Structures are given as structure tokens and as C-alpha cells.
């Protein structure tokens, strides 16, 4: 690093990016233009590879290996954030798609994980902090019964998984687990807006549609129905990771300073077209 960069970094506030996969790396690269980065992932090897790449590009990156489904691990992340703050941005990107795990693990990573991270980092939020949680278009594809919603609303409760099976009436499939977990993540960001607002901080979710990432490619391979979704997307293509990074950058910035408690769909119009099918012809 040259001297100018060494002087520049300490002045920058901190952006925490949870999840160093395809989208996480694109988001970190973008946020790293204006922030010091604290990057975290459960996969230490992947984490260090991404961090090394971003450092080679001149960005300031520290890393913490963290399993977001583990309370102690998330507490360790919060300690690292407190030491390196002030916390300006939290971009929570980590998640598992239906092809990646069984339904219980998907529920843990996609719902218990964000719940633990939001709870652990809220005390570090201050005026101007923005938290962005990556949900999914899947959050919007079907209604979730009130009975199931009531269980999803408290994912840290004892016997959460058993209560969920009872409320739903049977074991979930991985796809249903993905839909339920992302649906509840959107609601978390709505409900938590009050608590974050008390600190003059913001929390939102962002729901990507079909995005060209390794995860997206895996789902195209395993779920042929995604080709129908692509055909119904008004913009007639997948989105790119940089288009998600652009939206995250905006939501994280002061230009979005009155935006909280919302879900931003970045889906090329697919959700709208599925609600108004005649307009997709
Ligand atoms: N790619 C798409 O088309 C698409 C569409 C809608 C939503 N999304 C969402 O976008 C997010 C990122 O997707 P991506 O394409 O970058 O996926 P990805 O698989 O490339 O990255 C996900 C990262 O999460 C990490 N992770 C998994 N379990 C973890 C845990 N317990 N603790 C900490 N980290 C963990 C993985 O190691 C991985 O690096 C996910 O939440 C996904 O649901 C993706």
C-alpha cells in the first residue's frame, strides 16, 4: 500500500459484509471504495481468498470467520465490529439456496443467522448506520399462513424447528424452507425498523430476482422452472451482481437516509409481472 492509502483508511468508517460468496464479494468490492471492510464467512478458505483479492485491489479488509447460526460465533463477530467501528454499514448477504442443504440447515442459515446478526449488531448501530439484509424474490411468491408466521417470528425460541413442523403440518421441503425463511427475513427488517430508528439507524431488506452468480447457476441446473421465470421477466435476462451492489451501495448511503423498514425488489420486474400476467405477454 502507498502512503496516501495508509492515511486514507483510518478516516473511513466500517462496513461489515456477512457472506463472502459471489454476491458478497461484489458488494464488498463496492462498499470498500468508501469504507474499511470487515468481511466474514463460515468458510475460512474462501474468506481469505476473497480478502486477499480485495486487498490486492487496494482496499482495507479484515476478516473474521463466523458461523452465523452459532450464538458464540456471532458474539465474536460483534466484538470484532465493536473494536473496529464505528459501524456505518452492515450488508448481510450469506444464505443457502434450496439445492445447497436440507431444509433445517436452510432455515438456520437464512433465518436464525440474520436474526442473531441483527440482534448482536444493533447495540453498535448509531446515527447514520444502515443495515441491508439480502432476502429474495422467493419471499414474495406465496402467502405464508398466519400460524406459520407466528412461529417464524421467533426463530430463537426453544424447539423452533419442531414448532415449525407442527404449524406447517409436515416437514418442509428445502424450497419451502427457502421461501419461508426469506419471507420472514423481509418481516424482520420491517419489525426491527423501530429499534434501529431509536438509534437514528436504518434497516432494510433487498430481494434479488434471478441473478447470475454460482448459486443462481446451480439453481438453474436443479430447478428447470427457473427458465419459465426467466421467460416471464420483463427485462428478459438475469440480473448481474453489480446491479445488486449498486442497489446496496445506494441503500447504505446517506442518499437513502429516509428509507427504512422496506424491502427493495431488484428483479427486473418479475414480481410485478407475476401479479399482472397479462402485462407480461
Ligand atoms: N444468486 C441468486 O440468483 C439469488 C437470488 C435471490 C437471492 N439470493 C440471495 O443472495 C445471497 C447471496 O447469494 P450468492 O449467490 O452470493 O451465494 P453464494 O453461495 O455465492 O454465497 C453465500 C455465502 O454464504 C456463506 N454461508 C453459508 N452458510 C453460512 C453460515 N452458517 N455462516 C456464515 N456464512 C455462511 C457461504 O460460505 C457463501 O460464501 C443469499 O442470501 C441468497 O439467498 C441469491
Amino acid at each position: 500500500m502507498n502512503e496516501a492509502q495508509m492515511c486514507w483508511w483510518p478516516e473511513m468508517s466500517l462496513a461489515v459484509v456477512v457472506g463472502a460468496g459471489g454476491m458478497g464479494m461484489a458488494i464488498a468490492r463496492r462498499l470498500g471504495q468508501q469504507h474499511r471492510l470487515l468481511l466474514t464467512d463460515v468458510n475460512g478458505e474462501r474468506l481469505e481468498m476473497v480478502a486477499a483479492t480485495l486487498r490486492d485491489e487496494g482496499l482495507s479488509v479484515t476478516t473474521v470467520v463466523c458461523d452465523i447460526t452459532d450464538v458464540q460465533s456471532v458474539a465474536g463477530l460483534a466484538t470484532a465490529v465493536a473494536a473496529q467501528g464505528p459501524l456505518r454499514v452492515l450488508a448481510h448477504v450469506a444464505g443457502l439456496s434450496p439445492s445447497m442443504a436440507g431444509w433445517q440447515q436452510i432455515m438456520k442459515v437464512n433465518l436464525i443467522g440474520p436474526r442473531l446478526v441483527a440482534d448482536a449488531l444493533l447495540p453498535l448501530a448509531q446515527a447514520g448506520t444502515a443495515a441491508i439484509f439480502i432476502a429474495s424474490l422467493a419471499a414474495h411468491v406465496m402467502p405464508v399462513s398466519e400460524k406459520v408466521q407466528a412461529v417464524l417470528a421467533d426463530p430463537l425460541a426453544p424447539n423452533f424447528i419442531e414448532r415449525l413442523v407442527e404449524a406447517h403440518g409436515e416437514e418442509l421441503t428445502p424450497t419451502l424452507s427457502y421461501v419461508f425463511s426469506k419471507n420472514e427475513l423481509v418481516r424482520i427488517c420491517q419489525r426491527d425498523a423501530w429499534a434501529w430508528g431509536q438509534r437514528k439507524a436504518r434497516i432494510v431488506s433487498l430481494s434479488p430476482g434471478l441473478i447470475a452468480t454460482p448459486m443462481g447457476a446451480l439453481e438453474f441446473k436443479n430447478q428447470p422452472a427457473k427458465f419459465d421465470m426467466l421467460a416471464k421477466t420483463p427485462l428478459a435476462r438475469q440480473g448481474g451482481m453489480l446491479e445488486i451492489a449498486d442497489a446496496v451501495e445506494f441503500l447504505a448511503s446517506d442518499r437513502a437516509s429516509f428509507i427504512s423498514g422496506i424491502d427493495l425488489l431488484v428483479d427486473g420486474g418479475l414480481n410485478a409481472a407475476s401479479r399482472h400476467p397479462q402485462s407480461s405477454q
Side-chain angles (χ1 to χ4, degrees), residues 3-281:
E3 255 180 49
Q5 281 170 320
M6 296 295 276
C7 297
W8 173 53
W9 285 347
E11 301 300 319
M12 299 165 91
S13 54
L14 186 70
V16 177
V17 179
V18 180
M23 217 180 274
M25 184 175 179
I27 290 168
R29 180 175 270 132
R30 183 61 60 85
L31 293 176
Q33 304 304 317
Q34 290 177 318
H35 304 279
R36 288 177 286 120
L37 294 171
L38 192 165
L39 192 56
T40 181
D41 199 289
V42 71
N43 181 336
E45 205 176 318
R46 160 101 200 155
L47 180 63
E48 289 313 322
M49 190 193 75
V50 171
T53 304
L54 296 177
R55 283 188 197 114
D56 282 349
E57 294 174 12
L59 306 185
S60 165
V61 190
T62 57
T63 58
V64 176
V65 173
C66 172
D67 177 353
I68 56 170
T69 68
D70 182 88
V71 182
Q72 293 308 322
S73 195
V74 174
L77 170 64
T79 301
V81 175
Q84 295 182 37
L87 173 64
R88 175 64 182 77
V89 182
L90 164 63
H92 182 108
V93 194
L96 292 177
S97 66
S99 300
M100 288 177 160
W103 80 262
Q104 295 193 15
Q105 183 62 10
I106 290 171
M107 189 57 70
K108 283 179 189 161
V109 173
N110 290 5
L111 182 56
I112 292 176
R115 180 68 277 166
L116 289 175
V117 170
D119 289 351
L121 296 195
L122 172 62
L124 304 178
Q126 54 185 33
T129 301
I132 300 108
F133 285 78
I134 302 298
S136 171
L137 170 66
H140 301 269
V141 295
M142 60 183 277
V144 178
S145 74
E146 283 185 17
K147 205 171 162 190
V148 168
Q149 274 189 36
V151 178
L152 291 171
D154 191 6
L156 305 184
N159 304 325
F160 165 65
I161 293 289
E162 292 77 8
R163 291 177 61 227
L164 189 52
V165 172
E166 194 185 327
H168 178 57
E170 58 183 350
E171 297 271 323
L172 277 64
T173 61
T175 299
L176 207 51
S177 182
Y178 189 79
V179 168
F180 284 4
S181 58
K182 295 294 191 180
N183 183 282
E184 182 58 27
L185 179 53
V186 167
R187 273 196 303 279
I188 282 179
C189 296
Q190 294 170 350
R191 275 200 308 272
D192 284 15
W194 179 257
W196 288 70
Q198 295 299 292
R199 296 176 166 271
K200 300 195 176 355
R202 302 180 292 109
I203 180 169
V204 299
S205 57
L206 184 158
S207 285
L210 302 176
I211 308 298
T213 67
M215 177 192 279
L218 179 70
E219 294 306 316
F220 264 105
K221 202 169 128 210
N222 294 333
Q223 298 191 45
K226 282 192 73 171
F227 286 97
D228 296 335
M229 292 169 71
L230 185 58
K232 287 178 181 149
T233 300
L235 288 178
R237 62 172 176 85
Q238 291 188 79
M241 287 186 272
L242 293 182
E243 291 175 297
I244 300 299
D246 280 340
V248 170
E249 183 184 33
F250 166 69
L251 289 170
S253 76
D254 287 338
R255 286 168 293 147
S257 51
F258 204 50
I259 300 179
S260 193
I262 58 120
D263 181 60
L264 180 65
L265 274 158
V266 183
D267 69 345
L270 178 52
N271 185 59
S274 66
R275 277 151 213 274
H276 304 279
Q278 71 283 4
S279 59
S280 67
Q281 300 308 307

